[in-house]
């Protein structure tokens, strides 16, 4: 289980790094990140009665919709891709390899690191798809979901395939795969893939 008191970035930077806004901003904190060959990310989402979808799902039996768990998978995996890209860019520009969580934390506390990751966020867009998502247990208000995304492989066409898992405590609530394709924003705009 991850240390929920750790945070890779401040809430302000987390929001700026994300491509989402309320009511579907689904990552409260990045609590672990491992760069390199066996890379992974772990994020948490605190589920509360204040979530906009809870009153209707269901009025007498509040349950987090499975599609929202899948949304956490997608957002965690996109953060994962962005931070991996950032680590490569950081090494290319500074000659310093970021080898562990604390290295990334330190780099992103410097203004140059913040500027670098936000420039990368603006330059690249990601497109996500979920596959083989299996729901095992319900998630209810009061639960904290811990989602881990691990890079399974990247194919020759630029698609990154992630194995994802959601837990509440020690109980696995959902598993699946996320596929993330990333491209330059200008290229996506020229192909009409983005709505302005």
């Amino acid at each position: 289980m991850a240390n929920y008191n750790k945070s890779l970035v401040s809430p302000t930077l987390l929001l700026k790094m994300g491509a989402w806004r309320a009511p579907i901003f689904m990552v409260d904190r990045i609590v672990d990140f491992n760069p390199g060959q066996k890379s992974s990310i772990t994020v948490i989402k605190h589920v509360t009665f204040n979530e906009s979808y809870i009153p209707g799902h269901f009025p007498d039996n509040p349950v987090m919709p499975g599609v929202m768990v899948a949304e956490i998978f997608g957002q965690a995996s996109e953060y994962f891709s962005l931070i991996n890209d950032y680590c490569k860019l950081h090494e290319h520009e500074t000659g310093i390899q970021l080898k562990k969580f604390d290295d990334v934390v330190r780099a992103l506390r410097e203004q140059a690191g913040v500027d670098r990751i936000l420039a990368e966020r603006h330059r690249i867009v990601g497109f996500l798809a979920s596959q083989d998502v299996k729901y095992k247990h319900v998630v209810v208000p009061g639960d904290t979901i811990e989602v881990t995304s691990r890079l399974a492989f990247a194919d020759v066409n630029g698609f990154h395939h992630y194995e994802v898992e959601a837990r509440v405590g020690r109980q696995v609530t959902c598993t699946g795969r996320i596929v993330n394709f990333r491209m330059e924003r200008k290229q996506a705009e020229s192909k009409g893939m983005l709505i302005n």
Side-chain angles (χ1 to χ4, degrees):
M1 209 184 311
N3 179 353
Y4 292 177
N5 294 321
K6 293 194 306 186
S7 181
L8 188 77
V9 296
S10 69
T12 304
L13 184 53
L14 182 71
L15 186 62
K16 289 178 181 176
M17 287 167 50
W20 317 272
R21 294 296 176 263
I24 61 162
F25 195 89
M26 301 299 292
V27 172
D28 290 330
R29 183 176 284 181
I30 299 170
V31 295
D32 200 14
F33 175 75
N34 297 301
Q37 288 285 29
K38 297 189 177 187
S39 53
S40 66
I41 194 169
T42 302
V43 306
I44 58 171
K45 165 69 178 157
H46 301 294
V47 182
T48 72
F49 281 101
N50 293 327
E51 310 289 339
S52 61
Y53 44 79
I54 289 292
H57 198 271
F58 298 93
D60 297 321
N61 183 26
V63 174
M64 184 177 201
V67 70
M68 300 311 281
V69 177
E71 180 64 24
I72 302 170
F73 285 164
Q75 291 185 22
S77 298
E78 174 58 22
Y79 276 119
F80 188 9
S81 294
L82 174 64
I83 297 165
N84 264 337
D85 289 351
Y86 164 78
C87 289
K88 291 174 190 168
L89 186 61
H90 179 86
E91 183 177 5
H92 175 74
E93 292 183 0
T94 67
I96 299 169
Q97 187 178 21
L98 302 174
K99 296 182 180 178
K100 55 187 190 238
F101 181 88
D102 291 336
D103 295 341
V104 180
V105 169
R106 277 191 295 277
L108 287 171
R109 284 190 182 147
E110 298 173 3
Q111 188 60 48
V114 171
D115 293 344
R116 189 175 290 119
I117 200 163
L118 294 181
E120 190 66 7
R121 162 82 282 149
H122 183 71
R123 187 180 75 80
I124 298 290
V125 292
F127 300 92
L128 300 162
S130 59
Q131 297 178 331
D132 299 326
V133 175
K134 294 179 176 58
Y135 300 94
K136 300 172 186 271
H137 293 280
V138 297
V139 177
V140 297
D143 286 343
T144 295
I145 303 173
E146 178 182 306
V147 167
T148 300
S149 179
R150 291 179 183 83
L151 181 62
F153 66 96
D155 65 30
V156 294
N157 298 311
F159 290 88
H160 292 78
H161 301 256
Y162 299 100
E163 298 292 333
V164 288
E165 178 182 79
R167 291 178 173 270
V168 173
R170 295 186 184 276
Q171 187 169 59
V172 175
T173 61
C174 189
T175 61
R177 284 196 305 270
I178 292 291
V179 180
N180 188 353
F181 177 72
R182 300 168 66 67
M183 67 189 318
E184 288 198 28
R185 183 178 302 274
K186 289 179 183 177
Q187 185 181 7
E189 288 170 351
S190 71
K191 292 183 177 193
M193 298 170 83
L194 293 179
I195 299 170
N196 291 330

Short mmCIF file of all heavy atoms in Angstrom, two decimals, residues 2-64:
data_model
loop_
_atom_site.label_atom_id
_atom_site.label_comp_id
_atom_site.label_asym_id
_atom_site.label_seq_id
_atom_site.Cartn_x
_atom_site.Cartn_y
_atom_site.Cartn_z
N ALA A 2 0.49 2.25 -0.78
CA ALA A 2 1.27 3.48 -0.91
C ALA A 2 1.14 4.34 0.36
O ALA A 2 0.20 4.19 1.13
CB ALA A 2 0.80 4.26 -2.12
N ASN A 3 2.08 5.25 0.52
CA ASN A 3 2.04 6.20 1.63
C ASN A 3 1.19 7.39 1.21
O ASN A 3 1.60 8.20 0.40
CB ASN A 3 3.47 6.64 1.96
CG ASN A 3 3.52 7.64 3.09
OD1 ASN A 3 2.48 8.12 3.56
ND2 ASN A 3 4.71 7.97 3.52
N TYR A 4 -0.02 7.49 1.76
CA TYR A 4 -0.95 8.54 1.34
C TYR A 4 -0.51 9.94 1.77
O TYR A 4 -1.07 10.93 1.34
CB TYR A 4 -2.35 8.27 1.89
CG TYR A 4 -3.03 7.06 1.29
CD1 TYR A 4 -4.27 6.66 1.74
CD2 TYR A 4 -2.44 6.31 0.27
CE1 TYR A 4 -4.91 5.56 1.21
CE2 TYR A 4 -3.07 5.21 -0.27
CZ TYR A 4 -4.31 4.84 0.20
OH TYR A 4 -4.94 3.75 -0.33
N ASN A 5 0.49 10.03 2.63
CA ASN A 5 0.98 11.34 3.06
C ASN A 5 1.99 11.92 2.08
O ASN A 5 2.35 13.09 2.17
CB ASN A 5 1.61 11.24 4.45
CG ASN A 5 0.59 10.90 5.50
OD1 ASN A 5 -0.54 11.38 5.45
ND2 ASN A 5 0.94 10.05 6.44
N LYS A 6 2.47 11.10 1.13
CA LYS A 6 3.41 11.60 0.12
C LYS A 6 2.62 12.21 -1.03
O LYS A 6 1.50 11.82 -1.30
CB LYS A 6 4.27 10.46 -0.44
CG LYS A 6 5.23 9.85 0.53
CD LYS A 6 6.27 8.97 -0.14
CE LYS A 6 5.72 7.89 -1.01
NZ LYS A 6 6.75 6.98 -1.53
N SER A 7 3.25 13.15 -1.71
CA SER A 7 2.63 13.72 -2.90
C SER A 7 3.73 14.11 -3.88
O SER A 7 4.68 14.79 -3.50
CB SER A 7 1.80 14.95 -2.54
OG SER A 7 1.20 15.48 -3.70
N LEU A 8 3.60 13.64 -5.11
CA LEU A 8 4.61 13.94 -6.12
C LEU A 8 4.65 15.44 -6.42
O LEU A 8 5.71 16.02 -6.60
CB LEU A 8 4.33 13.16 -7.40
CG LEU A 8 5.42 13.25 -8.47
CD1 LEU A 8 6.60 12.36 -8.11
CD2 LEU A 8 4.86 12.86 -9.83
N VAL A 9 3.48 16.06 -6.47
CA VAL A 9 3.37 17.48 -6.79
C VAL A 9 2.31 18.12 -5.89
O VAL A 9 1.48 17.44 -5.30
CB VAL A 9 2.99 17.72 -8.28
CG1 VAL A 9 4.09 17.22 -9.20
CG2 VAL A 9 1.67 17.06 -8.63
N SER A 10 2.32 19.43 -5.85
CA SER A 10 1.32 20.17 -5.08
C SER A 10 -0.05 20.06 -5.78
O SER A 10 -0.12 19.76 -6.98
CB SER A 10 1.71 21.65 -5.00
OG SER A 10 1.59 22.24 -6.29
N PRO A 11 -1.14 20.28 -5.04
CA PRO A 11 -2.46 20.25 -5.67
C PRO A 11 -2.58 21.22 -6.85
O PRO A 11 -3.21 20.92 -7.86
CB PRO A 11 -3.41 20.64 -4.54
CG PRO A 11 -2.70 20.23 -3.29
CD PRO A 11 -1.23 20.47 -3.59
N THR A 12 -1.94 22.39 -6.73
CA THR A 12 -2.00 23.38 -7.80
C THR A 12 -1.34 22.87 -9.08
O THR A 12 -1.90 22.99 -10.17
CB THR A 12 -1.32 24.69 -7.35
OG1 THR A 12 -1.95 25.15 -6.15
CG2 THR A 12 -1.41 25.76 -8.42
N LEU A 13 -0.16 22.26 -8.93
CA LEU A 13 0.53 21.73 -10.11
C LEU A 13 -0.19 20.51 -10.65
O LEU A 13 -0.29 20.34 -11.87
CB LEU A 13 1.98 21.39 -9.77
CG LEU A 13 2.84 20.91 -10.94
CD1 LEU A 13 2.81 21.87 -12.12
CD2 LEU A 13 4.28 20.67 -10.48
N LEU A 14 -0.76 19.67 -9.79
CA LEU A 14 -1.53 18.52 -10.24
C LEU A 14 -2.66 18.96 -11.15
O LEU A 14 -2.89 18.38 -12.22
CB LEU A 14 -2.09 17.75 -9.04
CG LEU A 14 -2.88 16.49 -9.35
CD1 LEU A 14 -1.94 15.38 -9.86
CD2 LEU A 14 -3.64 16.02 -8.12
N LEU A 15 -3.36 20.01 -10.76
CA LEU A 15 -4.46 20.53 -11.56
C LEU A 15 -3.96 21.05 -12.91
O LEU A 15 -4.55 20.78 -13.96
CB LEU A 15 -5.19 21.64 -10.79
CG LEU A 15 -6.45 22.19 -11.43
CD1 LEU A 15 -7.51 21.11 -11.56
CD2 LEU A 15 -6.98 23.35 -10.61
N LYS A 16 -2.84 21.77 -12.90
CA LYS A 16 -2.28 22.31 -14.14
C LYS A 16 -1.79 21.21 -15.07
O LYS A 16 -1.87 21.33 -16.29
CB LYS A 16 -1.14 23.28 -13.84
CG LYS A 16 -1.58 24.58 -13.21
CD LYS A 16 -0.39 25.46 -12.89
CE LYS A 16 -0.82 26.75 -12.23
NZ LYS A 16 0.33 27.58 -11.83
N MET A 17 -1.29 20.13 -14.51
CA MET A 17 -0.78 19.02 -15.31
C MET A 17 -1.91 18.20 -15.93
O MET A 17 -1.72 17.53 -16.94
CB MET A 17 0.08 18.08 -14.44
CG MET A 17 1.43 18.65 -14.08
SD MET A 17 2.25 17.69 -12.75
CE MET A 17 2.13 16.01 -13.34
N GLY A 18 -3.08 18.22 -15.31
CA GLY A 18 -4.20 17.40 -15.78
C GLY A 18 -4.93 18.05 -16.93
O GLY A 18 -5.01 19.27 -17.03
N ALA A 19 -5.51 17.21 -17.77
CA ALA A 19 -6.30 17.70 -18.90
C ALA A 19 -7.78 17.76 -18.55
O ALA A 19 -8.60 18.01 -19.40
CB ALA A 19 -6.08 16.79 -20.10
N TRP A 20 -8.14 17.55 -17.27
CA TRP A 20 -9.53 17.42 -16.85
C TRP A 20 -9.88 18.51 -15.86
O TRP A 20 -9.01 19.10 -15.23
CB TRP A 20 -9.76 16.06 -16.18
CG TRP A 20 -9.09 14.98 -16.93
CD1 TRP A 20 -9.61 14.27 -17.99
CD2 TRP A 20 -7.75 14.51 -16.75
NE1 TRP A 20 -8.68 13.39 -18.45
CE2 TRP A 20 -7.52 13.51 -17.72
CE3 TRP A 20 -6.73 14.82 -15.87
CZ2 TRP A 20 -6.33 12.82 -17.83
CZ3 TRP A 20 -5.53 14.15 -15.97
CH2 TRP A 20 -5.34 13.16 -16.95
N ARG A 21 -11.16 18.75 -15.72
CA ARG A 21 -11.67 19.70 -14.73
C ARG A 21 -12.92 19.10 -14.09
O ARG A 21 -13.46 18.11 -14.56
CB ARG A 21 -12.01 21.05 -15.40
CG ARG A 21 -10.77 21.79 -15.94
CD ARG A 21 -9.82 22.18 -14.81
NE ARG A 21 -8.58 22.79 -15.29
CZ ARG A 21 -7.43 22.15 -15.45
NH1 ARG A 21 -7.34 20.85 -15.23
NH2 ARG A 21 -6.35 22.78 -15.85
N ALA A 22 -13.39 19.75 -13.03
CA ALA A 22 -14.60 19.29 -12.35
C ALA A 22 -15.74 19.22 -13.37
O ALA A 22 -15.77 20.04 -14.28
CB ALA A 22 -14.95 20.24 -11.22
N PRO A 23 -16.62 18.26 -13.27
CA PRO A 23 -16.77 17.32 -12.16
C PRO A 23 -16.03 15.99 -12.36
O PRO A 23 -16.27 15.05 -11.61
CB PRO A 23 -18.28 17.08 -12.13
CG PRO A 23 -18.68 17.16 -13.57
CD PRO A 23 -17.76 18.19 -14.19
N ILE A 24 -15.14 15.89 -13.35
CA ILE A 24 -14.46 14.60 -13.55
C ILE A 24 -12.96 14.68 -13.34
O ILE A 24 -12.21 13.90 -13.91
CB ILE A 24 -14.79 13.97 -14.92
CG1 ILE A 24 -14.34 14.85 -16.06
CG2 ILE A 24 -16.25 13.60 -15.02
CD1 ILE A 24 -14.24 14.12 -17.38
N PHE A 25 -12.50 15.56 -12.49
CA PHE A 25 -11.10 15.54 -12.08
C PHE A 25 -11.00 14.45 -11.01
O PHE A 25 -11.49 14.62 -9.90
CB PHE A 25 -10.68 16.91 -11.53
CG PHE A 25 -9.20 17.07 -11.43
CD1 PHE A 25 -8.48 17.56 -12.51
CD2 PHE A 25 -8.51 16.72 -10.28
CE1 PHE A 25 -7.10 17.72 -12.44
CE2 PHE A 25 -7.13 16.86 -10.20
CZ PHE A 25 -6.43 17.37 -11.29
N MET A 26 -10.42 13.31 -11.35
CA MET A 26 -10.56 12.10 -10.55
C MET A 26 -9.30 11.66 -9.81
O MET A 26 -9.27 10.56 -9.24
CB MET A 26 -11.05 10.95 -11.43
CG MET A 26 -12.38 11.22 -12.12
SD MET A 26 -13.73 11.51 -10.97
CE MET A 26 -13.90 9.88 -10.26
N VAL A 27 -8.26 12.46 -9.80
CA VAL A 27 -7.04 12.11 -9.08
C VAL A 27 -6.80 13.17 -8.01
O VAL A 27 -6.64 14.35 -8.32
CB VAL A 27 -5.83 12.02 -10.04
CG1 VAL A 27 -4.53 11.87 -9.26
CG2 VAL A 27 -6.01 10.87 -11.02
N ASP A 28 -6.80 12.75 -6.76
CA ASP A 28 -6.56 13.69 -5.66
C ASP A 28 -5.07 13.86 -5.36
O ASP A 28 -4.65 14.92 -4.93
CB ASP A 28 -7.26 13.22 -4.39
CG ASP A 28 -8.78 13.35 -4.49
OD1 ASP A 28 -9.25 14.24 -5.21
OD2 ASP A 28 -9.47 12.55 -3.85
N ARG A 29 -4.29 12.81 -5.60
CA ARG A 29 -2.87 12.88 -5.26
C ARG A 29 -2.11 11.77 -5.98
O ARG A 29 -2.63 10.68 -6.15
CB ARG A 29 -2.72 12.72 -3.75
CG ARG A 29 -1.30 12.83 -3.24
CD ARG A 29 -1.24 12.75 -1.74
NE ARG A 29 -1.69 14.01 -1.18
CZ ARG A 29 -1.74 14.29 0.10
NH1 ARG A 29 -1.38 13.39 0.99
NH2 ARG A 29 -2.14 15.45 0.53
N ILE A 30 -0.89 12.08 -6.41
CA ILE A 30 0.01 11.05 -6.94
C ILE A 30 0.92 10.66 -5.78
O ILE A 30 1.73 11.47 -5.32
CB ILE A 30 0.84 11.58 -8.13
CG1 ILE A 30 -0.08 12.01 -9.27
CG2 ILE A 30 1.84 10.52 -8.60
CD1 ILE A 30 0.62 12.77 -10.39
N VAL A 31 0.76 9.42 -5.29
CA VAL A 31 1.47 9.02 -4.07
C VAL A 31 2.70 8.16 -4.34
O VAL A 31 3.50 7.92 -3.44
CB VAL A 31 0.53 8.31 -3.07
CG1 VAL A 31 -0.53 9.28 -2.57
CG2 VAL A 31 -0.09 7.06 -3.67
N ASP A 32 2.85 7.70 -5.59
CA ASP A 32 4.06 6.95 -5.93
C ASP A 32 4.29 7.02 -7.43
O ASP A 32 3.34 7.08 -8.21
CB ASP A 32 3.94 5.49 -5.48
CG ASP A 32 5.30 4.80 -5.36
OD1 ASP A 32 6.33 5.51 -5.35
OD2 ASP A 32 5.33 3.57 -5.27
N PHE A 33 5.56 7.04 -7.80
CA PHE A 33 5.95 7.02 -9.21
C PHE A 33 7.34 6.40 -9.29
O PHE A 33 8.24 6.80 -8.57
CB PHE A 33 5.97 8.43 -9.81
CG PHE A 33 6.47 8.45 -11.22
CD1 PHE A 33 5.67 8.00 -12.26
CD2 PHE A 33 7.75 8.88 -11.51
CE1 PHE A 33 6.14 8.00 -13.57
CE2 PHE A 33 8.23 8.89 -12.81
CZ PHE A 33 7.42 8.44 -13.84
N ASN A 34 7.48 5.41 -10.16
CA ASN A 34 8.76 4.75 -10.37
C ASN A 34 9.14 4.88 -11.84
O ASN A 34 8.50 4.25 -12.69
CB ASN A 34 8.68 3.26 -10.00
CG ASN A 34 8.36 3.08 -8.54
OD1 ASN A 34 9.09 3.54 -7.69
ND2 ASN A 34 7.25 2.43 -8.24
N PRO A 35 10.13 5.71 -12.15
CA PRO A 35 10.55 5.82 -13.55
C PRO A 35 11.39 4.62 -13.97
O PRO A 35 11.75 3.79 -13.14
CB PRO A 35 11.39 7.10 -13.55
CG PRO A 35 11.84 7.31 -12.15
CD PRO A 35 10.85 6.59 -11.26
N GLY A 36 11.67 4.53 -15.25
CA GLY A 36 12.57 3.48 -15.72
C GLY A 36 11.87 2.33 -16.39
O GLY A 36 10.71 2.41 -16.77
N GLN A 37 12.59 1.19 -16.49
CA GLN A 37 12.11 0.02 -17.22
C GLN A 37 10.83 -0.56 -16.62
O GLN A 37 9.91 -0.90 -17.33
CB GLN A 37 13.19 -1.06 -17.25
CG GLN A 37 14.35 -0.73 -18.17
CD GLN A 37 13.98 -0.92 -19.63
OE1 GLN A 37 12.83 -0.77 -20.02
NE2 GLN A 37 14.96 -1.26 -20.44
N LYS A 38 10.79 -0.71 -15.31
CA LYS A 38 9.61 -1.27 -14.65
C LYS A 38 8.81 -0.14 -14.00
O LYS A 38 8.55 -0.16 -12.80
CB LYS A 38 10.02 -2.33 -13.64
CG LYS A 38 10.72 -3.50 -14.29
CD LYS A 38 10.92 -4.63 -13.34
CE LYS A 38 11.57 -5.78 -14.12
NZ LYS A 38 11.66 -6.99 -13.33
N SER A 39 8.44 0.82 -14.81
CA SER A 39 7.82 2.02 -14.29
C SER A 39 6.37 1.80 -13.89
O SER A 39 5.68 0.92 -14.41
CB SER A 39 7.93 3.15 -15.31
OG SER A 39 7.42 2.74 -16.56
N SER A 40 5.92 2.61 -12.93
CA SER A 40 4.54 2.55 -12.45
C SER A 40 4.18 3.87 -11.78
O SER A 40 5.06 4.67 -11.44
CB SER A 40 4.35 1.40 -11.46
OG SER A 40 5.09 1.65 -10.28
N ILE A 41 2.89 4.07 -11.63
CA ILE A 41 2.38 5.24 -10.91
C ILE A 41 1.26 4.75 -10.00
O ILE A 41 0.56 3.80 -10.34
CB ILE A 41 1.88 6.34 -11.87
CG1 ILE A 41 1.67 7.67 -11.15
CG2 ILE A 41 0.59 5.90 -12.58
CD1 ILE A 41 1.42 8.84 -12.08
N THR A 42 1.12 5.38 -8.84
CA THR A 42 0.00 5.10 -7.94
C THR A 42 -0.64 6.43 -7.57
O THR A 42 0.06 7.36 -7.16
CB THR A 42 0.47 4.36 -6.68
OG1 THR A 42 1.11 3.14 -7.07
CG2 THR A 42 -0.71 4.03 -5.77
N VAL A 43 -1.96 6.49 -7.74
CA VAL A 43 -2.72 7.69 -7.39
C VAL A 43 -3.83 7.30 -6.43
O VAL A 43 -4.20 6.12 -6.33
CB VAL A 43 -3.33 8.37 -8.65
CG1 VAL A 43 -2.25 8.66 -9.70
CG2 VAL A 43 -4.45 7.54 -9.26
N ILE A 44 -4.36 8.30 -5.74
CA ILE A 44 -5.51 8.04 -4.88
C ILE A 44 -6.65 8.98 -5.22
O ILE A 44 -6.44 10.10 -5.71
CB ILE A 44 -5.17 8.12 -3.38
CG1 ILE A 44 -4.60 9.49 -3.01
CG2 ILE A 44 -4.27 6.99 -2.96
CD1 ILE A 44 -4.46 9.68 -1.50
N LYS A 45 -7.85 8.50 -4.96
CA LYS A 45 -9.08 9.29 -5.11
C LYS A 45 -9.93 9.02 -3.87
O LYS A 45 -10.26 7.87 -3.58
CB LYS A 45 -9.82 8.87 -6.37
CG LYS A 45 -11.26 9.33 -6.46
CD LYS A 45 -11.36 10.81 -6.63
CE LYS A 45 -12.83 11.24 -6.77
NZ LYS A 45 -12.99 12.63 -6.39
N HIS A 46 -10.24 10.08 -3.14
CA HIS A 46 -11.13 9.96 -1.99
C HIS A 46 -12.57 10.11 -2.50
O HIS A 46 -12.89 11.10 -3.15
CB HIS A 46 -10.84 11.05 -0.96
CG HIS A 46 -9.43 11.03 -0.45
ND1 HIS A 46 -8.93 10.00 0.31
CD2 HIS A 46 -8.42 11.92 -0.60
CE1 HIS A 46 -7.66 10.26 0.61
NE2 HIS A 46 -7.33 11.41 0.06
N VAL A 47 -13.40 9.14 -2.22
CA VAL A 47 -14.79 9.17 -2.66
C VAL A 47 -15.65 9.75 -1.53
O VAL A 47 -15.58 9.26 -0.40
CB VAL A 47 -15.29 7.76 -3.04
CG1 VAL A 47 -16.72 7.82 -3.55
CG2 VAL A 47 -14.37 7.14 -4.08
N THR A 48 -16.44 10.78 -1.85
CA THR A 48 -17.27 11.42 -0.84
C THR A 48 -18.72 11.50 -1.31
O THR A 48 -19.02 11.29 -2.49
CB THR A 48 -16.79 12.86 -0.55
OG1 THR A 48 -17.12 13.69 -1.66
CG2 THR A 48 -15.28 12.91 -0.30
N PHE A 49 -19.60 11.82 -0.39
CA PHE A 49 -21.01 12.03 -0.74
C PHE A 49 -21.17 13.27 -1.62
O PHE A 49 -22.21 13.46 -2.25
CB PHE A 49 -21.86 12.18 0.52
CG PHE A 49 -22.18 10.87 1.18
CD1 PHE A 49 -21.48 10.45 2.29
CD2 PHE A 49 -23.18 10.05 0.69
CE1 PHE A 49 -21.77 9.24 2.91
CE2 PHE A 49 -23.48 8.84 1.29
CZ PHE A 49 -22.77 8.43 2.41
N ASN A 50 -20.16 14.13 -1.68
CA ASN A 50 -20.25 15.36 -2.47
C ASN A 50 -19.98 15.15 -3.96
O ASN A 50 -20.10 16.09 -4.74
CB ASN A 50 -19.26 16.41 -1.94
CG ASN A 50 -19.64 16.89 -0.57
OD1 ASN A 50 -20.81 16.98 -0.25
ND2 ASN A 50 -18.64 17.18 0.25
N GLU A 51 -19.61 13.93 -4.38
CA GLU A 51 -19.39 13.68 -5.81
C GLU A 51 -20.72 13.92 -6.54
O GLU A 51 -21.78 13.49 -6.09
CB GLU A 51 -18.94 12.24 -6.04
CG GLU A 51 -17.79 11.78 -5.17
CD GLU A 51 -16.46 12.41 -5.53
OE1 GLU A 51 -16.29 12.89 -6.65
OE2 GLU A 51 -15.57 12.41 -4.66
N SER A 52 -20.64 14.59 -7.68
CA SER A 52 -21.87 15.00 -8.39
C SER A 52 -22.72 13.82 -8.85
O SER A 52 -23.93 13.95 -9.00
CB SER A 52 -21.51 15.87 -9.59
OG SER A 52 -20.69 15.15 -10.49
N TYR A 53 -22.13 12.66 -9.05
CA TYR A 53 -22.87 11.51 -9.57
C TYR A 53 -23.47 10.64 -8.47
O TYR A 53 -24.32 9.79 -8.73
CB TYR A 53 -21.94 10.64 -10.43
CG TYR A 53 -20.59 10.41 -9.82
CD1 TYR A 53 -20.40 9.47 -8.81
CD2 TYR A 53 -19.50 11.18 -10.21
CE1 TYR A 53 -19.16 9.30 -8.22
CE2 TYR A 53 -18.26 11.01 -9.62
CZ TYR A 53 -18.10 10.07 -8.63
OH TYR A 53 -16.87 9.91 -8.04
N ILE A 54 -23.06 10.82 -7.22
CA ILE A 54 -23.52 9.94 -6.13
C ILE A 54 -25.02 10.06 -5.85
O ILE A 54 -25.70 9.05 -5.70
CB ILE A 54 -22.68 10.17 -4.85
CG1 ILE A 54 -21.26 9.62 -5.03
CG2 ILE A 54 -23.35 9.57 -3.61
CD1 ILE A 54 -21.14 8.11 -5.14
N PRO A 55 -25.62 11.28 -5.80
CA PRO A 55 -27.05 11.35 -5.47
C PRO A 55 -27.95 10.54 -6.42
O PRO A 55 -28.98 10.02 -6.00
CB PRO A 55 -27.37 12.85 -5.58
CG PRO A 55 -26.07 13.52 -5.28
CD PRO A 55 -25.03 12.62 -5.89
N GLY A 56 -27.55 10.41 -7.67
CA GLY A 56 -28.38 9.65 -8.61
C GLY A 56 -27.94 8.21 -8.80
O GLY A 56 -28.57 7.46 -9.54
N HIS A 57 -26.88 7.80 -8.12
CA HIS A 57 -26.32 6.45 -8.36
C HIS A 57 -25.98 5.77 -7.04
O HIS A 57 -24.80 5.62 -6.72
CB HIS A 57 -25.06 6.55 -9.23
CG HIS A 57 -24.67 5.26 -9.87
ND1 HIS A 57 -23.83 4.34 -9.28
CD2 HIS A 57 -25.00 4.74 -11.06
CE1 HIS A 57 -23.64 3.31 -10.09
NE2 HIS A 57 -24.34 3.52 -11.17
N PHE A 58 -26.87 5.40 -6.24
CA PHE A 58 -28.32 5.38 -6.40
C PHE A 58 -28.92 6.10 -5.21
O PHE A 58 -28.30 6.13 -4.15
CB PHE A 58 -28.83 3.95 -6.48
CG PHE A 58 -28.27 3.21 -7.68
CD1 PHE A 58 -27.12 2.44 -7.58
CD2 PHE A 58 -28.90 3.32 -8.92
CE1 PHE A 58 -26.61 1.77 -8.68
CE2 PHE A 58 -28.40 2.64 -10.02
CZ PHE A 58 -27.25 1.87 -9.91
N PRO A 59 -30.11 6.69 -5.32
CA PRO A 59 -30.64 7.52 -4.23
C PRO A 59 -30.64 6.84 -2.86
O PRO A 59 -30.35 7.47 -1.85
CB PRO A 59 -32.07 7.83 -4.70
CG PRO A 59 -31.97 7.80 -6.20
CD PRO A 59 -30.98 6.70 -6.51
N ASP A 60 -30.96 5.55 -2.80
CA ASP A 60 -31.02 4.87 -1.51
C ASP A 60 -29.84 3.93 -1.27
O ASP A 60 -29.78 3.24 -0.25
CB ASP A 60 -32.33 4.07 -1.40
CG ASP A 60 -33.53 4.99 -1.44
OD1 ASP A 60 -33.45 6.08 -0.84
OD2 ASP A 60 -34.53 4.63 -2.09
N ASN A 61 -28.90 3.88 -2.21
CA ASN A 61 -27.76 2.97 -2.09
C ASN A 61 -26.58 3.59 -2.84
O ASN A 61 -26.27 3.19 -3.96
CB ASN A 61 -28.13 1.60 -2.68
CG ASN A 61 -27.00 0.59 -2.52
OD1 ASN A 61 -26.19 0.71 -1.61
ND2 ASN A 61 -26.95 -0.37 -3.41
N PRO A 62 -25.89 4.58 -2.24
CA PRO A 62 -24.83 5.30 -2.97
C PRO A 62 -23.64 4.41 -3.33
O PRO A 62 -23.03 3.81 -2.46
CB PRO A 62 -24.43 6.41 -2.00
CG PRO A 62 -24.86 5.94 -0.65
CD PRO A 62 -26.04 5.06 -0.87
N VAL A 63 -23.38 4.34 -4.63
CA VAL A 63 -22.28 3.52 -5.16
C VAL A 63 -21.57 4.33 -6.23
O VAL A 63 -22.21 4.99 -7.05
CB VAL A 63 -22.84 2.22 -5.79
CG1 VAL A 63 -21.74 1.42 -6.48
CG2 VAL A 63 -23.53 1.36 -4.74
N MET A 64 -20.25 4.29 -6.24
CA MET A 64 -19.49 4.97 -7.29
C MET A 64 -19.69 4.20 -8.60
O MET A 64 -19.47 2.99 -8.65
CB MET A 64 -18.01 5.00 -6.94
CG MET A 64 -17.18 5.78 -7.94
SD MET A 64 -15.46 5.84 -7.43
CE MET A 64 -14.89 7.26 -8.35
#
